[in-house]
Amino acid sequence: MAEPLRSNRDFRLLWLSGLFAVLGGQMSAIALPLLILKETGSAVQAGAVGTVAVCAVLITMLPGGVMADRVERRRLMRLCDVGSLAAVTALAVAVWNGHAPMVLVLLVATAGAVLNSVYAPAAFGLMRAVVPPDQMSTATARLQARTSTARLVGPLVGGALFGVHEALPFTAQFLGLFLSTVCVALVRTRSAARTRAGSVFSRRELTAGLSFLWQLPYLRTVLLVFGLGMNFSFGALTFTALAVFSDGGRSGLGGGFVITCVSAGALAGALIAPRFAAERHVRTLIVLTCWSCVGTAAVLAWLSSPLVAGLLCALCMCLSTVASIGFLSTLLVVTPEDRIGRVQSAAGFLSSMVQPFGPLVGGFLLTTLDSSAAFVVIGCVLAVSAAVVTLAPSVRAGAGASREKPEAVAGEPEKAGTPEPAEEPSTPRTSRTSRTPWTSRTSQTPQTPQTSQAPQTPEGPAPEPAGTVSTRPATTPERTTAGPAPDAAGPGAP
Protein backbone atom coordinates (compact mmCIF):
# COMPACT_ATOMS: atom_id res chain seq x y z
CA MET A 1 0.00 0.00 0.00
CA ALA A 2 1.35 3.46 -0.96
CA GLU A 3 2.32 5.79 1.87
CA PRO A 4 0.10 8.88 2.25
CA LEU A 5 1.39 12.14 0.82
CA ARG A 6 1.80 13.64 4.28
CA SER A 7 4.37 10.89 4.96
CA ASN A 8 6.11 11.33 1.61
CA ARG A 9 9.26 13.20 2.61
CA ASP A 10 10.34 14.16 -0.91
CA PHE A 11 6.88 15.46 -1.85
CA ARG A 12 6.81 17.61 1.29
CA LEU A 13 10.20 19.05 0.34
CA LEU A 14 9.05 19.82 -3.20
CA TRP A 15 5.89 21.42 -1.82
CA LEU A 16 7.87 23.61 0.57
CA SER A 17 10.38 24.48 -2.13
CA GLY A 18 7.60 25.77 -4.35
CA LEU A 19 5.96 27.66 -1.49
CA PHE A 20 9.14 29.61 -0.69
CA ALA A 21 9.82 30.33 -4.38
CA VAL A 22 6.26 31.41 -5.21
CA LEU A 23 5.85 33.57 -2.12
CA GLY A 24 9.13 35.36 -2.75
CA GLY A 25 8.32 35.75 -6.42
CA GLN A 26 4.92 37.27 -5.68
CA MET A 27 6.48 39.84 -3.36
CA SER A 28 8.91 41.00 -6.02
CA ALA A 29 6.26 40.78 -8.76
CA ILE A 30 4.27 43.62 -7.24
CA ALA A 31 7.39 45.58 -6.28
CA LEU A 32 9.22 45.52 -9.61
CA PRO A 33 6.81 47.68 -11.66
CA LEU A 34 6.53 50.06 -8.68
CA LEU A 35 10.33 50.30 -8.57
CA ILE A 36 10.57 51.09 -12.28
CA LEU A 37 7.81 53.69 -12.05
CA LYS A 38 9.56 55.29 -9.07
CA GLU A 39 12.93 55.46 -10.80
CA THR A 40 11.87 56.33 -14.36
CA GLY A 41 8.31 57.60 -14.09
CA SER A 42 7.57 55.67 -17.28
CA ALA A 43 4.65 53.24 -17.41
CA VAL A 44 5.93 52.10 -20.80
CA GLN A 45 9.22 50.91 -19.32
CA ALA A 46 7.39 49.23 -16.45
CA GLY A 47 5.23 47.34 -18.93
CA ALA A 48 8.23 46.48 -21.11
CA VAL A 49 9.65 44.24 -18.37
CA GLY A 50 6.52 42.10 -18.36
CA THR A 51 6.53 41.93 -22.16
CA VAL A 52 10.15 40.80 -22.23
CA ALA A 53 9.41 38.14 -19.63
CA VAL A 54 6.40 36.79 -21.52
CA CYS A 55 8.33 36.64 -24.80
CA ALA A 56 11.28 34.91 -23.13
CA VAL A 57 8.98 32.29 -21.58
CA LEU A 58 7.27 31.49 -24.88
CA ILE A 59 10.57 31.30 -26.78
CA THR A 60 12.36 29.07 -24.30
CA MET A 61 9.47 26.88 -23.14
CA LEU A 62 9.93 24.10 -25.71
CA PRO A 63 13.76 23.97 -25.48
CA GLY A 64 13.35 23.89 -21.70
CA GLY A 65 11.29 20.73 -21.99
CA VAL A 66 14.01 19.09 -24.08
CA MET A 67 16.62 19.98 -21.47
CA ALA A 68 14.43 18.48 -18.74
CA ASP A 69 14.47 15.18 -20.63
CA ARG A 70 18.26 15.29 -21.10
CA VAL A 71 19.68 16.08 -17.65
CA GLU A 72 18.97 14.39 -14.33
CA ARG A 73 16.04 16.48 -13.16
CA ARG A 74 16.97 17.15 -9.55
CA ARG A 75 20.43 18.27 -10.65
CA LEU A 76 18.89 20.52 -13.31
CA MET A 77 16.57 22.09 -10.74
CA ARG A 78 19.52 22.83 -8.47
CA LEU A 79 21.43 24.50 -11.32
CA CYS A 80 18.40 26.66 -12.10
CA ASP A 81 18.09 27.57 -8.41
CA VAL A 82 21.70 28.72 -8.31
CA GLY A 83 21.25 30.79 -11.48
CA SER A 84 18.08 32.40 -10.12
CA LEU A 85 19.78 33.19 -6.83
CA ALA A 86 22.61 34.92 -8.67
CA ALA A 87 20.20 37.03 -10.75
CA VAL A 88 18.02 38.04 -7.79
CA THR A 89 21.10 38.81 -5.68
CA ALA A 90 22.38 41.22 -8.34
CA LEU A 91 19.01 42.99 -8.45
CA ALA A 92 18.67 43.19 -4.65
CA VAL A 93 22.20 44.61 -4.26
CA ALA A 94 21.53 47.20 -6.95
CA VAL A 95 18.30 48.32 -5.27
CA TRP A 96 19.96 48.50 -1.84
CA ASN A 97 22.64 50.71 -3.41
CA GLY A 98 19.94 53.08 -4.60
CA HIS A 99 19.87 52.46 -8.34
CA ALA A 100 18.71 49.53 -10.50
CA PRO A 101 19.55 50.20 -14.18
CA MET A 102 16.87 49.27 -16.68
CA VAL A 103 19.37 47.03 -18.47
CA LEU A 104 19.93 45.03 -15.28
CA VAL A 105 16.19 44.70 -14.68
CA LEU A 106 15.64 43.40 -18.21
CA LEU A 107 18.55 40.97 -17.89
CA VAL A 108 17.20 39.64 -14.59
CA ALA A 109 13.70 39.28 -16.04
CA THR A 110 15.03 37.43 -19.08
CA ALA A 111 17.27 35.17 -17.00
CA GLY A 112 14.39 34.34 -14.68
CA ALA A 113 12.14 33.45 -17.59
CA VAL A 114 14.75 31.24 -19.28
CA LEU A 115 15.66 29.42 -16.06
CA ASN A 116 12.01 28.93 -15.21
CA SER A 117 11.30 27.40 -18.60
CA VAL A 118 13.88 24.73 -17.78
CA TYR A 119 12.99 24.35 -14.10
CA ALA A 120 9.24 23.79 -14.51
CA PRO A 121 9.33 20.66 -16.73
CA ALA A 122 12.19 19.26 -14.64
CA ALA A 123 10.04 19.72 -11.52
CA PHE A 124 7.17 17.85 -13.16
CA GLY A 125 9.46 15.02 -14.14
CA LEU A 126 10.82 14.75 -10.61
CA MET A 127 7.32 14.85 -9.13
CA ARG A 128 6.35 12.00 -11.45
CA ALA A 129 9.11 9.97 -9.79
CA VAL A 130 8.16 11.07 -6.26
CA VAL A 131 4.36 10.63 -6.34
CA PRO A 132 2.63 7.35 -7.31
CA PRO A 133 -0.06 7.56 -10.04
CA ASP A 134 -3.03 7.00 -7.75
CA GLN A 135 -2.02 10.02 -5.65
CA MET A 136 -1.18 12.36 -8.54
CA SER A 137 -4.53 14.15 -8.47
CA THR A 138 -4.24 14.88 -4.75
CA ALA A 139 -0.64 16.03 -5.18
CA THR A 140 -1.63 18.31 -8.05
CA ALA A 141 -4.42 19.84 -5.98
CA ARG A 142 -2.08 20.52 -3.06
CA LEU A 143 0.44 22.19 -5.33
CA GLN A 144 -2.27 24.38 -6.83
CA ALA A 145 -3.65 25.28 -3.39
CA ARG A 146 -0.15 26.28 -2.32
CA THR A 147 0.32 28.49 -5.36
CA SER A 148 -3.12 30.11 -5.07
CA THR A 149 -2.53 30.94 -1.41
CA ALA A 150 0.84 32.49 -2.18
CA ARG A 151 -0.74 34.59 -4.92
CA LEU A 152 -3.27 35.96 -2.48
CA VAL A 153 -0.79 36.72 0.29
CA GLY A 154 2.41 37.55 -1.62
CA PRO A 155 1.36 40.81 -3.33
CA LEU A 156 -0.03 42.22 -0.07
CA VAL A 157 3.17 41.46 1.85
CA GLY A 158 5.34 42.64 -1.06
CA GLY A 159 3.48 45.93 -1.30
CA ALA A 160 3.79 46.49 2.45
CA LEU A 161 7.53 45.73 2.37
CA PHE A 162 8.02 48.09 -0.58
CA GLY A 163 6.40 50.84 1.45
CA VAL A 164 9.06 50.37 4.13
CA HIS A 165 12.01 50.12 1.72
CA GLU A 166 12.02 49.34 -1.99
CA ALA A 167 14.73 46.69 -1.58
CA LEU A 168 12.90 44.58 1.00
CA PRO A 169 10.64 42.63 -1.45
CA PHE A 170 13.69 41.59 -3.48
CA THR A 171 15.54 40.60 -0.33
CA ALA A 172 12.53 38.50 0.63
CA GLN A 173 12.64 36.85 -2.79
CA PHE A 174 16.32 36.06 -2.26
CA LEU A 175 15.54 34.39 1.06
CA GLY A 176 12.68 32.45 -0.50
CA LEU A 177 14.90 31.20 -3.31
CA PHE A 178 17.62 30.24 -0.84
CA LEU A 179 15.18 28.15 1.21
CA SER A 180 13.77 26.67 -1.98
CA THR A 181 17.27 25.65 -3.05
CA VAL A 182 17.90 23.96 0.29
CA CYS A 183 14.65 21.99 0.03
CA VAL A 184 15.48 20.74 -3.47
CA ALA A 185 18.98 19.77 -2.34
CA LEU A 186 17.46 17.60 0.41
CA VAL A 187 15.26 15.62 -1.99
CA ARG A 188 16.53 12.04 -2.22
CA THR A 189 14.64 10.82 -5.28
CA ARG A 190 16.39 10.99 -8.65
CA SER A 191 14.70 11.14 -12.03
CA ALA A 192 16.99 9.72 -14.71
CA ALA A 193 17.49 11.61 -17.95
CA ARG A 194 17.23 10.19 -21.42
CA THR A 195 20.35 8.58 -22.81
CA ARG A 196 19.59 9.60 -26.38
CA ALA A 197 21.80 12.42 -27.69
CA GLY A 198 21.04 15.09 -30.26
CA SER A 199 20.69 18.83 -30.65
CA VAL A 200 18.36 20.50 -28.16
CA PHE A 201 17.25 22.90 -30.88
CA SER A 202 16.55 20.32 -33.57
CA ARG A 203 13.03 20.37 -34.98
CA ARG A 204 12.49 16.75 -33.94
CA GLU A 205 13.30 17.47 -30.29
CA LEU A 206 11.45 20.78 -30.07
CA THR A 207 8.26 19.31 -31.55
CA ALA A 208 8.38 15.94 -29.79
CA GLY A 209 5.97 17.04 -27.05
CA LEU A 210 3.60 18.66 -29.52
CA SER A 211 3.68 15.52 -31.67
CA PHE A 212 2.84 13.31 -28.71
CA LEU A 213 -0.14 15.50 -27.77
CA TRP A 214 -1.33 15.68 -31.36
CA GLN A 215 -1.41 11.88 -31.70
CA LEU A 216 -3.85 11.55 -28.77
CA PRO A 217 -7.23 13.05 -29.82
CA TYR A 218 -8.49 13.63 -26.28
CA LEU A 219 -5.42 15.56 -25.17
CA ARG A 220 -5.24 17.44 -28.44
CA THR A 221 -8.86 18.63 -28.37
CA VAL A 222 -8.91 19.61 -24.71
CA LEU A 223 -5.68 21.57 -24.96
CA LEU A 224 -6.63 23.40 -28.15
CA VAL A 225 -10.20 24.25 -27.13
CA PHE A 226 -10.27 24.29 -23.34
CA GLY A 227 -6.65 25.35 -22.91
CA LEU A 228 -5.87 27.69 -25.79
CA GLY A 229 -9.38 28.91 -26.72
CA MET A 230 -10.75 29.37 -23.22
CA ASN A 231 -7.54 31.02 -22.00
CA PHE A 232 -7.95 33.64 -24.67
CA SER A 233 -11.68 34.17 -24.12
CA PHE A 234 -11.62 34.20 -20.34
CA GLY A 235 -8.70 36.65 -20.38
CA ALA A 236 -10.84 38.99 -22.51
CA LEU A 237 -13.80 38.45 -20.15
CA THR A 238 -11.92 39.26 -16.96
CA PHE A 239 -10.16 42.27 -18.47
CA THR A 240 -13.49 43.63 -19.70
CA ALA A 241 -15.00 43.12 -16.24
CA LEU A 242 -12.01 44.85 -14.64
CA ALA A 243 -12.32 47.86 -16.94
CA VAL A 244 -16.11 48.14 -16.65
CA PHE A 245 -16.32 47.75 -12.88
CA SER A 246 -13.34 50.04 -12.31
CA ASP A 247 -15.41 52.83 -13.86
CA GLY A 248 -12.95 53.41 -16.67
CA GLY A 249 -10.00 53.59 -14.28
CA ARG A 250 -11.56 56.14 -11.91
CA SER A 251 -12.03 53.56 -9.15
CA GLY A 252 -10.20 50.27 -8.68
CA LEU A 253 -12.51 48.90 -6.00
CA GLY A 254 -14.98 47.04 -8.21
CA GLY A 255 -12.38 45.66 -10.61
CA GLY A 256 -10.08 44.70 -7.76
CA PHE A 257 -12.93 42.81 -6.12
CA VAL A 258 -13.50 40.80 -9.31
CA ILE A 259 -9.82 39.83 -9.62
CA THR A 260 -9.64 38.92 -5.94
CA CYS A 261 -12.67 36.67 -6.38
CA VAL A 262 -10.94 34.95 -9.31
CA SER A 263 -7.94 34.15 -7.10
CA ALA A 264 -10.21 32.97 -4.30
CA GLY A 265 -12.05 30.71 -6.75
CA ALA A 266 -8.77 29.10 -7.81
CA LEU A 267 -7.88 28.43 -4.19
CA ALA A 268 -11.30 26.97 -3.44
CA GLY A 269 -11.08 24.68 -6.47
CA ALA A 270 -7.67 23.40 -5.42
CA LEU A 271 -8.95 22.65 -1.93
CA ILE A 272 -12.04 20.70 -3.02
CA ALA A 273 -10.48 18.83 -5.95
CA PRO A 274 -9.09 15.93 -3.85
CA ARG A 275 -12.53 15.32 -2.31
CA PHE A 276 -14.20 15.39 -5.71
CA ALA A 277 -12.06 12.74 -7.47
CA ALA A 278 -11.51 15.21 -10.30
CA GLU A 279 -9.63 12.74 -12.51
CA ARG A 280 -12.78 10.59 -12.78
CA HIS A 281 -15.06 13.41 -13.93
CA VAL A 282 -12.81 15.46 -16.18
CA ARG A 283 -15.16 15.70 -19.18
CA THR A 284 -18.16 16.68 -17.07
CA LEU A 285 -16.13 19.32 -15.27
CA ILE A 286 -14.70 20.74 -18.49
CA VAL A 287 -18.13 21.02 -20.11
CA LEU A 288 -19.63 22.54 -16.97
CA THR A 289 -16.79 25.07 -16.76
CA CYS A 290 -17.19 26.16 -20.38
CA TRP A 291 -20.94 26.68 -20.14
CA SER A 292 -20.54 28.47 -16.79
CA CYS A 293 -18.26 30.97 -18.54
CA VAL A 294 -20.89 31.43 -21.24
CA GLY A 295 -23.55 32.05 -18.59
CA THR A 296 -21.28 34.51 -16.79
CA ALA A 297 -20.79 36.56 -19.95
CA ALA A 298 -24.55 36.56 -20.58
CA VAL A 299 -25.36 37.73 -17.06
CA LEU A 300 -22.74 40.49 -17.15
CA ALA A 301 -24.16 41.73 -20.46
CA TRP A 302 -27.52 42.19 -18.73
CA LEU A 303 -26.63 43.02 -15.11
CA SER A 304 -23.86 45.47 -14.18
CA SER A 305 -22.86 44.50 -10.65
CA PRO A 306 -19.30 43.98 -9.35
CA LEU A 307 -20.60 41.63 -6.65
CA VAL A 308 -22.36 39.39 -9.16
CA ALA A 309 -19.39 39.53 -11.55
CA GLY A 310 -16.94 38.57 -8.81
CA LEU A 311 -19.03 35.65 -7.58
CA LEU A 312 -19.65 34.29 -11.08
CA CYS A 313 -15.99 34.60 -12.07
CA ALA A 314 -15.01 32.87 -8.82
CA LEU A 315 -17.39 30.00 -9.65
CA CYS A 316 -15.90 29.67 -13.15
CA MET A 317 -12.37 29.64 -11.79
CA CYS A 318 -13.25 27.13 -9.08
CA LEU A 319 -14.80 24.70 -11.58
CA SER A 320 -11.93 25.17 -14.00
CA THR A 321 -9.32 24.54 -11.35
CA VAL A 322 -10.94 21.23 -10.40
CA ALA A 323 -11.24 20.25 -14.08
CA SER A 324 -7.66 21.23 -14.84
CA ILE A 325 -6.29 19.29 -11.89
CA GLY A 326 -8.06 16.17 -13.14
CA PHE A 327 -6.84 16.72 -16.69
CA LEU A 328 -3.27 17.42 -15.67
CA SER A 329 -3.18 14.34 -13.48
CA THR A 330 -4.26 12.25 -16.47
CA LEU A 331 -1.64 13.92 -18.65
CA LEU A 332 1.16 13.06 -16.24
CA VAL A 333 0.05 9.45 -15.93
CA VAL A 334 -0.28 8.73 -19.66
CA THR A 335 2.96 10.47 -20.67
CA PRO A 336 6.01 8.17 -20.95
CA GLU A 337 8.76 8.86 -18.43
CA ASP A 338 11.33 9.87 -21.05
CA ARG A 339 9.04 12.51 -22.62
CA ILE A 340 7.48 14.14 -19.57
CA GLY A 341 9.58 17.31 -19.85
CA ARG A 342 8.81 17.92 -23.50
CA VAL A 343 5.12 17.06 -23.17
CA GLN A 344 4.68 19.31 -20.13
CA SER A 345 6.37 22.20 -21.92
CA ALA A 346 4.26 21.64 -25.03
CA ALA A 347 1.05 21.62 -22.98
CA GLY A 348 2.06 24.83 -21.22
CA PHE A 349 3.01 26.41 -24.55
CA LEU A 350 -0.37 25.62 -26.10
CA SER A 351 -2.25 26.86 -23.05
CA SER A 352 -0.41 30.18 -22.82
CA MET A 353 0.60 31.18 -26.34
CA VAL A 354 -2.49 33.36 -26.98
CA GLN A 355 -3.14 34.32 -23.37
CA PRO A 356 -1.59 37.82 -23.63
CA PHE A 357 -3.94 38.73 -26.49
CA GLY A 358 -7.17 38.20 -24.51
CA PRO A 359 -6.98 41.51 -22.60
CA LEU A 360 -6.00 43.27 -25.83
CA VAL A 361 -9.15 42.02 -27.55
CA GLY A 362 -11.25 42.92 -24.51
CA GLY A 363 -9.89 46.46 -24.63
CA PHE A 364 -10.60 46.69 -28.37
CA LEU A 365 -14.21 45.57 -27.85
CA LEU A 366 -14.75 48.17 -25.14
CA THR A 367 -13.32 50.83 -27.44
CA THR A 368 -15.61 49.99 -30.35
CA LEU A 369 -18.73 48.74 -28.51
CA ASP A 370 -20.53 49.41 -25.26
CA SER A 371 -19.93 47.09 -22.32
CA SER A 372 -23.06 44.97 -22.85
CA ALA A 373 -22.20 44.33 -26.50
CA ALA A 374 -18.60 43.49 -25.55
CA PHE A 375 -19.78 40.85 -23.10
CA VAL A 376 -22.16 39.44 -25.72
CA VAL A 377 -19.36 39.06 -28.28
CA ILE A 378 -17.10 37.38 -25.73
CA GLY A 379 -19.99 35.13 -24.70
CA CYS A 380 -20.48 34.03 -28.31
CA VAL A 381 -16.81 33.05 -28.59
CA LEU A 382 -17.06 31.16 -25.32
CA ALA A 383 -20.21 29.42 -26.54
CA VAL A 384 -18.40 28.14 -29.64
CA SER A 385 -15.64 26.66 -27.49
CA ALA A 386 -18.20 25.15 -25.11
CA ALA A 387 -20.13 23.57 -27.99
CA VAL A 388 -16.98 22.03 -29.45
CA VAL A 389 -15.94 20.56 -26.09
CA THR A 390 -19.47 19.24 -25.50
CA LEU A 391 -19.93 17.60 -28.89
CA ALA A 392 -16.39 16.54 -29.88
CA PRO A 393 -16.24 12.70 -30.09
CA SER A 394 -12.66 12.68 -28.79
CA VAL A 395 -13.67 14.51 -25.60
CA ARG A 396 -16.79 12.40 -25.15
CA ALA A 397 -14.66 9.25 -25.44
CA GLY A 398 -12.37 10.57 -22.72
CA ALA A 399 -8.80 9.62 -21.91
CA GLY A 400 -9.55 5.93 -22.42
CA ALA A 401 -9.65 6.49 -26.17
CA SER A 402 -6.14 7.95 -26.01
CA ARG A 403 -4.59 4.98 -24.34
CA GLU A 404 -3.38 3.25 -27.43
CA LYS A 405 0.33 3.63 -27.79
CA PRO A 406 1.09 6.51 -30.17
CA GLU A 407 3.64 6.24 -32.88
CA ALA A 408 7.22 7.14 -32.07
CA VAL A 409 7.35 10.87 -31.53
CA ALA A 410 9.05 12.91 -34.20
CA GLY A 411 10.93 9.96 -35.57
CA GLU A 412 12.30 8.72 -32.27
CA PRO A 413 13.01 5.00 -32.20
CA GLU A 414 11.16 3.07 -29.51
CA LYS A 415 13.23 2.26 -26.49
CA ALA A 416 13.02 -0.85 -24.46
CA GLY A 417 11.18 -0.39 -21.24
CA THR A 418 9.37 2.82 -22.25
CA PRO A 419 5.93 2.72 -20.65
CA GLU A 420 2.92 3.01 -22.90
CA PRO A 421 0.64 5.98 -22.37
CA ALA A 422 -2.34 3.70 -21.97
CA GLU A 423 -0.97 1.84 -19.05
CA GLU A 424 0.27 2.83 -15.67
CA PRO A 425 4.03 3.23 -15.80
CA SER A 426 5.86 0.12 -14.77
CA THR A 427 9.37 1.51 -14.66
CA PRO A 428 10.74 1.65 -11.13
CA ARG A 429 11.48 5.10 -9.83
CA THR A 430 15.12 6.01 -9.92
CA SER A 431 16.23 6.79 -6.40
CA ARG A 432 19.18 6.43 -4.12
CA THR A 433 16.90 4.87 -1.58
CA SER A 434 14.92 1.69 -1.99
CA ARG A 435 11.53 2.56 -3.46
CA THR A 436 8.49 0.59 -4.47
CA PRO A 437 8.02 0.34 -8.24
CA TRP A 438 5.18 2.24 -9.85
CA THR A 439 3.21 -0.85 -10.64
CA SER A 440 3.07 -1.97 -7.06
CA ARG A 441 1.84 1.38 -5.75
CA THR A 442 -1.10 1.87 -7.85
CA SER A 443 -0.44 11.83 -11.09
CA GLN A 444 -0.17 17.76 -12.07
CA THR A 445 0.00 19.14 -15.15
CA PRO A 446 -2.11 20.20 -17.23
CA GLN A 447 -1.50 21.77 -17.02
CA THR A 448 -3.04 22.37 -17.51
CA PRO A 449 -2.11 21.05 -18.07
CA GLN A 450 -0.73 23.80 -14.22
CA THR A 451 0.19 20.79 -15.86
CA SER A 452 1.65 21.35 -15.22
CA GLN A 453 2.92 23.11 -13.27
CA ALA A 454 2.92 21.14 -11.30
CA PRO A 455 -0.02 22.14 -14.61
CA GLN A 456 0.11 26.64 -12.98
CA THR A 457 -1.66 24.67 -13.37
CA PRO A 458 -3.38 22.71 -16.54
CA GLU A 459 -4.56 25.84 -15.17
CA GLY A 460 -12.75 27.86 -17.96
CA PRO A 461 -10.03 29.61 -15.95
CA ALA A 462 -7.31 27.33 -14.72
CA PRO A 463 -4.03 27.06 -12.88
CA GLU A 464 -1.15 28.87 -14.52
CA PRO A 465 1.97 27.42 -15.91
CA ALA A 466 4.47 26.51 -13.33
CA GLY A 467 7.18 28.76 -12.26
CA THR A 468 6.27 31.76 -14.31
CA VAL A 469 8.85 34.48 -13.86
CA SER A 470 8.48 36.73 -10.90
CA THR A 471 8.73 40.00 -12.77
CA ARG A 472 5.09 39.91 -13.81
CA PRO A 473 2.24 40.99 -11.57
CA ALA A 474 0.64 38.22 -9.58
CA THR A 475 -3.06 38.53 -10.16
CA THR A 476 -4.00 40.45 -13.27
CA PRO A 477 -6.33 39.71 -16.15
CA GLU A 478 -3.33 39.02 -18.35
CA ARG A 479 -2.39 36.21 -15.99
CA THR A 480 -5.87 34.79 -15.53
CA THR A 481 -5.84 31.57 -17.48
CA ALA A 482 -8.76 29.63 -18.77
CA GLY A 483 -7.54 26.19 -19.65
CA PRO A 484 -5.25 23.49 -18.38
CA ALA A 485 -1.82 24.79 -17.63
CA PRO A 486 0.83 23.04 -15.62
CA ASP A 487 1.53 24.37 -12.18
CA ALA A 488 4.87 23.63 -10.65
CA ALA A 489 6.67 26.28 -8.75
CA GLY A 490 10.07 27.18 -10.04
CA PRO A 491 12.70 29.63 -8.99
CA GLY A 492 11.18 33.06 -8.81
CA ALA A 493 7.80 31.70 -9.77
CA PRO A 494 4.81 33.85 -9.10
Side-chain angles (χ1 to χ4, degrees), residues 6 39-40 57 101 162 164 191 216 230 242 256 263 286 305 309 313 320 322 331 349 357 362 398 453 477 481 488:
R6 63 176 177 273
E39 292 209 351
T40 68
V57 167
F162 188 86
V164 178
S191 183
L216 303 182
M230 293 296 291
L242 173 64
S263 299
I286 289 176
S305 168
C313 288
S320 172
V322 179
L331 178 66
F349 180 79
F357 299 103
Q453 34 221 346
T481 58

Side-chain angles (χ1 to χ4, degrees), residues 124-176:
F124 273 101
L126 184 59
M127 193 183 77
R128 164 81 175 261
V130 167
V131 179
D134 61 328
Q135 295 180 347
M136 192 62 71
S137 179
T138 302
T140 301
R142 292 187 182 181
L143 292 175
Q144 181 59 29
R146 171 206 67 192
T147 303
S148 298
T149 302
R151 285 175 180 158
L152 284 174
V153 176
L156 295 176
V157 178
L161 291 176
F162 188 86
V164 178
H165 192 286
E166 56 267 25
L168 288 179
F170 307 105
T171 304
Q173 185 185 21
F174 169 82
L175 293 175

Side-chain angles (χ1 to χ4, degrees), residues 59-423:
I59 292 172
T60 59
M61 192 173 287
L62 294 180
V66 179
M67 288 293 298
D69 286 338
R70 294 289 187 84
V71 182
E72 196 279 311
R73 286 153 183 156
R74 176 181 168 276
R75 181 187 306 167
L76 188 60
M77 292 168 65
R78 294 177 66 183
L79 291 174
C80 291
D81 276 331
V82 172
S84 297
L85 270 173
V88 172
T89 300
L91 180 60
V93 169
V95 178
W96 276 112
N97 289 332
H99 179 60
M102 188 64 182
V103 174
L104 174 62
V105 172
L106 291 175
L107 287 175
V108 170
T110 303
V114 173
L115 290 171
N116 228 19
S117 295
V118 178
Y119 185 100
F124 273 101
L126 184 59
M127 193 183 77
R128 164 81 175 261
V130 167
V131 179
D134 61 328
Q135 295 180 347
M136 192 62 71
S137 179
T138 302
T140 301
R142 292 187 182 181
L143 292 175
Q144 181 59 29
R146 171 206 67 192
T147 303
S148 298
T149 302
R151 285 175 180 158
L152 284 174
V153 176
L156 295 176
V157 178
L161 291 176
F162 188 86
V164 178
H165 192 286
E166 56 267 25
L168 288 179
F170 307 105
T171 304
Q173 185 185 21
F174 169 82
L175 293 175
L177 281 172
F178 177 77
L179 293 174
S180 175
T181 303
V182 172
C183 289
V184 172
L186 293 175
V187 172
R188 295 170 180 167
T189 303
R190 302 294 185 270
S191 183
R194 296 193 311 136
T195 57
R196 180 178 173 80
S199 173
V200 172
F201 298 102
S202 68
R203 186 181 66 175
R204 180 182 63 188
E205 293 290 342
L206 292 177
T207 61
L210 295 171
S211 299
F212 177 84
L213 294 171
W214 190 260
Q215 291 176 21
L216 303 182
Y218 170 73
L219 301 181
R220 177 179 70 226
T221 304
V222 171
L223 281 170
L224 288 178
V225 180
F226 185 56
L228 190 151
M230 293 296 291
N231 264 335
F232 172 81
S233 303
F234 193 77
L237 177 68
T238 52
F239 179 85
T240 304
L242 173 64
V244 170
F245 298 118
S246 295
D247 194 19
R250 287 182 287 273
S251 171
L253 183 60
F257 175 76
V258 172
I259 300 304
T260 299
C261 286
V262 170
S263 299
L267 176 58
L271 292 175
I272 68 174
R275 303 177 182 273
F276 198 77
E279 69 279 7
R280 301 179 184 177
H281 310 285
V282 176
R283 177 183 177 270
T284 301
L285 288 166
I286 289 176
V287 171
L288 184 59
T289 299
C290 291
W291 288 111
S292 296
C293 291
V294 175
T296 296
V299 171
L300 295 183
W302 171 66
L303 181 63
S304 180
S305 168
L307 176 61
V308 173
L311 294 177
L312 288 176
C313 288
L315 174 63
C316 293
M317 180 61 86
C318 179
L319 290 172
S320 172
T321 300
V322 179
S324 294
I325 286 171
F327 176 80
L328 296 176
S329 302
T330 301
L331 178 66
L332 280 178
V333 170
V334 303
T335 303
E337 174 73 17
D338 66 325
R339 300 176 194 167
I340 189 67
R342 289 168 292 169
V343 171
Q344 184 272 340
S345 293
F349 180 79
L350 288 175
S351 296
S352 59
M353 62 185 298
V354 298
Q355 180 183 338
F357 299 103
L360 181 64
V361 171
F364 174 77
L365 291 176
L366 284 177
T367 302
T368 56
L369 305 171
D370 60 36
S371 60
S372 296
F375 282 121
V376 168
V377 173
I378 295 172
C380 291
V381 178
L382 288 166
V384 172
S385 298
V388 172
V389 169
T390 304
L391 302 175
S394 57
V395 179
R396 296 175 65 182
S402 298
R403 299 202 171 190
E404 294 180 2
K405 188 174 183 179
E407 298 175 4
V409 176
E412 284 188 14
E414 294 294 333
K415 300 192 302 179
T418 300
E420 298 185 9
E423 303 171 355

